Amino acid sequence: MAYRAVSYSISPFIYIQLQWRRFRGLEHPTRWRERLGHPSINRPPGPLLWFHAVSLGEGLAAIPVIRRCIQQKPNLTILMTTTTTSAFEVIKDRLPNDVLYQYAPLDTPSAMDDFLEYWNPVAVMLMESELWPNLVFGATKKGITMALLNARMSSKSFHRWSRPIVFPLISSMLSKFSLIAPLSNVEAIRYQLLQAPPFIINFAGDLKYAVDNVDISMQDNTCLEDLQQLRLDNRPVWMASSIHKGEDEVVLEVHRALMQVYPNVITIIVPRHPQLGQQMALALQKDGFNVVLRSCNEKILPSTNFYIVDTLGELRSLYRIIPVAVIGGSFLPGLAGHNVSEAAAAGCAVLTGCYVGHFSRMILEMQQINPLSVMQTDLLRNLVELFSNADALETHRMAAKQAFHALSNGVVSNVWNLINIHVIEKALPPEIK
């Protein structure tokens, strides 16, 4: 196969890139060999199901399904893999104790072959858009049943896959799946146009609405207790979460304007990548603001203007404390938004920008249930209204929570039923089903 031959030829360069990422701290310092398909733990005997997600959001969406799988099929071993270090650091504390957790192998022939040979799963559940040829064809060669959950196919990806040079590759890959559970009817149509067999496409809902089913970890509880002790002294407070580089300037502009009305306002910034926290703090300090970094265990003082949470895994706890959440990744062209359902599940008043990518469907669904559930226009005006009107704040918080619960109801059960019918029944021997 052409892709396999090409990936063989560029494998040395991929290895060099892996080492470069390791040098920059983007790969785990001691577990990076797992990316080459080398396991760091022993495989237990018996049938094994493999769940794979690329990063944090997709990984969290998989956890409720993993929990349901353990409840329904306790005799199966579950292996979870993710790609990014940020996902690893958060998810390792939220997975059930018996779940095996590894970094995902690179999609090179040798890494994927070694991984599949060692773990030998009976089935693999890929999250969202993890369509890698060596994975798909390697699993097919070994007779491994495959499912694509929360299957996403953006307009950009669809046009890329539709090009004549790669269309045969994607149509061949999609034909190997036993189940594709798309995010929406639009994605379902795109998968069919890429020649996925219609009978394997089944809609079950968006697993990112299932975030409320993930238990709060011990780390979350510690964070909750710690943050509740911070002295905000009834100051107006809002949180800008998952903020990308450049969006901190948007946050700063809004903060300056808010200070004209509320001089003691405090802004909490949660960078999308914690390593950006120090950079953001230095920039704000140069502008004359008093900035506190969470990683330094500093306390909020009456003079504090910005509190930067440059740590991992604490966002869900923050949503439970801060009543107003502005979801980043949505204020600059080229960004594609982030999951708003976590903030809605916690009962925050939810605001976001207009560059929300595939999350536009989620926001539209929530707004259709309750127009007040997500605010997207005039960030400053909306914040002033929420600060000045306690009834309006409570109304928006309840609207977000109501919309979330309406959309999250039954999603995990729907997905599990599809897995049971299309994957478990096909992949497992009769004595284990």
Side-chain angles (χ1 to χ4, degrees):
M1 184 181 120
Y3 178 89
R4 189 172 175 88
V6 171
S7 56
Y8 258 125
S9 64
I10 65 173
S11 290
F13 301 101
I14 295 176
Y15 179 82
I16 292 172
Q17 183 190 36
L18 177 68
Q19 296 303 319
W20 174 240
R21 285 175 55 83
R22 180 186 169 206
F23 175 76
R24 294 168 59 204
L26 300 177
E27 298 288 344
H28 196 282
T30 59
R31 301 185 61 164
W32 61 272
R33 291 178 180 82
E34 294 172 22
R35 303 281 280 137
L36 300 175
H38 303 158
S40 61
I41 52 178
N42 293 326
R43 185 202 190 283
L48 178 144
L49 296 186
W50 172 25
F51 285 79
H52 170 62
V54 62
S55 61
L56 181 57
E58 296 91 336
L60 291 176
I63 291 177
V65 181
I66 291 174
R67 292 186 182 279
R68 183 63 60 90
C69 183
I70 291 171
Q71 292 170 1
Q72 299 295 321
K73 302 291 180 182
N75 54 341
L76 297 179
T77 296
I78 306 296
L79 169 69
M80 175 76 177
T81 62
T82 53
T83 300
T84 65
T85 54
S86 58
F88 184 87
E89 291 302 321
V90 175
I91 291 175
K92 66 183 174 61
D93 297 318
R94 295 187 177 168
L95 284 171
N97 292 332
D98 293 335
V99 175
L100 309 177
Y101 193 19
Q102 297 277 278
Y103 277 97
L106 298 167
D107 196 57
T108 62
S110 58
M112 192 58 66
D113 288 351
D114 288 348
F115 181 91
L116 292 174
E117 182 66 29
Y118 181 82
W119 293 106
N120 192 28
V122 295
V124 53
M125 318 294 171
L126 304 176
M127 297 297 297
E128 294 210 3
S129 55
E130 285 296 274
L131 293 168
W132 294 99
N134 284 317
L135 189 164
V136 172
F137 293 117
T140 300
K141 185 177 179 180
K142 290 182 66 65
I144 299 168
T145 306
M146 289 182 292
L148 187 61
L149 307 181
N150 249 34
R152 179 161 55 89
M153 179 63 66
S154 67
S155 175
K156 182 178 179 180
S157 296
F158 174 72
H159 288 301
R160 184 172 64 246
W161 283 118
S162 298
R163 294 172 182 168
I165 192 170
V166 293
F167 183 82
L169 176 63
I170 187 64
S171 61
S172 178
M173 283 198 292
L174 294 177
S175 71
K176 311 303 182 186
F177 283 83
S178 296
L179 169 66
I180 295 176
L183 281 171
S184 70
N185 290 334
V186 173
E187 269 95 354
I189 292 170
R190 288 173 180 160
Y191 277 107
Q192 288 192 54
L193 291 173
L194 294 173
Q195 295 190 347
F199 61 87
I200 71 170
I201 300 174
N202 294 270
F203 182 73
D206 189 343
L207 279 170
K208 287 192 174 178
Y209 286 123
V211 291
D212 207 34
N213 292 331
V214 180
D215 295 337
I216 296 179
S217 67
M218 185 69 70
Q219 178 184 357
D220 285 331
N221 281 324
T222 302
C223 166
L224 201 63
E225 294 169 4
D226 187 14
L227 290 171
Q228 283 173 334
Q229 294 174 3
L230 296 174
R231 293 182 56 81
L232 298 178
D233 294 324
N234 296 317
R235 296 168 61 182
V237 57
W238 64 293
M239 178 170 67
S241 66
S242 298
I243 296 300
H244 290 245
K245 188 174 183 178
E247 289 189 303
D248 52 326
E249 298 177 10
V250 177
V251 173
L252 173 58
E253 182 181 349
V254 172
H255 180 92
R256 287 187 189 276
L258 286 172
M259 287 183 68
Q260 302 303 311
V261 186
Y262 304 99
N264 64 338
V265 65
I266 183 165
T267 298
I268 297 176
I269 300 178
V270 185
R272 178 62 176 173
H273 304 291
Q275 60 267 31
L276 293 176
Q278 189 75 36
Q279 299 174 25
M280 292 180 181
L282 290 173
L284 290 169
Q285 287 168 345
K286 285 182 180 179
D287 284 333
F289 291 101
N290 187 302
V291 183
V292 168
L293 280 167
R294 176 152 178 77
S295 62
C296 296
N297 294 317
E298 299 169 337
K299 298 299 182 182
I300 291 178
L301 302 173
S303 59
T304 301
N305 306 115
F306 288 91
Y307 184 61
I308 298 181
V309 183
D310 56 335
T311 50
L312 284 169
E314 300 186 319
L315 189 54
R316 293 173 68 240
S317 294
L318 286 162
Y319 284 142
R320 286 165 170 79
I321 300 169
I322 310 302
V324 180
V326 176
I327 313 302
S330 62
F331 291 100
L332 297 175
L335 299 178
H338 290 295
N339 189 1
V340 302
S341 68
E342 283 189 305
C348 294
V350 180
L351 304 92
T352 187
C354 59
Y355 302 101
V356 293
H358 73 274
F359 286 103
S360 60
R361 183 190 56 80
M362 173 183 283
I363 292 171
L364 179 60
E365 287 178 343
M366 292 181 66
Q367 290 173 334
Q368 286 174 338
I369 291 173
N370 193 317
L372 301 179
S373 59
V374 182
M375 293 168 277
Q376 280 190 280
T377 59
D378 202 335
L379 176 58
L380 176 60
R381 180 178 63 81
N382 286 327
L383 285 172
V384 170
E385 179 190 7
L386 295 174
F387 287 162
S388 61
N389 189 330
D391 290 338
L393 174 59
E394 185 62 22
T395 298
H396 282 283
R397 295 181 70 180
M398 293 302 296
K401 200 160 192 174
Q402 174 199 9
F404 167 80
H405 284 298
L407 291 165
S408 64
N409 185 38
V411 171
V412 176
S413 294
N414 294 340
V415 172
W416 171 251
N417 288 338
L418 289 176
I419 291 174
N420 202 36
I421 294 169
H422 294 271
V423 178
I424 300 295
E425 290 295 322
K426 181 177 180 180
L428 297 181
E431 64 272 15
I432 301 177
K433 292 178 184 177

